[in-house]
Amino acid sequence: MSNNTHWVINTYNVDPTQLIEVIDGHYTIFNHGNAAALSEAHRSHHSLIQRENTGHSLSNYLEFIIDNYENLSDRLGLTKANVVPRHILKELFVQ
């Protein structure tokens, strides 16, 4: 996976470690659940944003785009934390 992509990861009580191991790039995590569900490394990550659960990932993606509009990467990935392995195999995601 190209590391010039900035990933915005939305999570609700899911540890995004499997996804982060695959993306190999910069990322921001929007967490809506219990922070204890995240690994210690993710809880202390400088790009962790804790939010109340609204039930909509889209609101987090839009918040990130609006707040960072002037400094957005050339490529932006918007995803839920459980996309790997729940929805797609790791091997297919990296293609």
Side-chain angles (χ1 to χ4, degrees), residues 5-9 26-28 61 64 73 75-79:
T5 302
H6 187 101
W7 290 89
V8 179
I9 303 168
H26 303 286
Y27 61 91
T28 300
Y61 303 147
F64 182 85
S73 298
R75 296 177 58 174
L76 187 63
L78 308 171
T79 187

Side-chain angles (χ1 to χ4, degrees), residues 10-80:
N10 192 61
T11 183
Y12 179 78
N13 291 338
V14 174
D15 185 353
T17 298
Q18 289 187 56
L19 175 63
I20 290 169
E21 289 173 350
V22 174
I23 60 175
D24 187 34
H26 303 286
Y27 61 91
T28 300
I29 301 171
F30 278 87
N31 184 50
H32 300 277
N34 185 351
L38 302 174
S39 71
E40 178 59 38
H42 302 310
R43 285 195 304 269
S44 62
H45 190 271
H46 70 277
S47 292
L48 172 65
I49 300 170
Q50 190 71 38
R51 291 286 182 263
E52 289 187 34
N53 185 23
T54 62
H56 300 284
S57 301
L58 183 57
S59 58
N60 300 317
Y61 303 147
L62 289 174
E63 177 184 338
F64 182 85
I65 292 169
I66 291 166
D67 290 350
N68 298 282
Y69 187 78
E70 297 297 324
N71 299 308
L72 287 175
S73 298
D74 291 336
R75 296 177 58 174
L76 187 63
L78 308 171
T79 187
K80 292 186 176 190

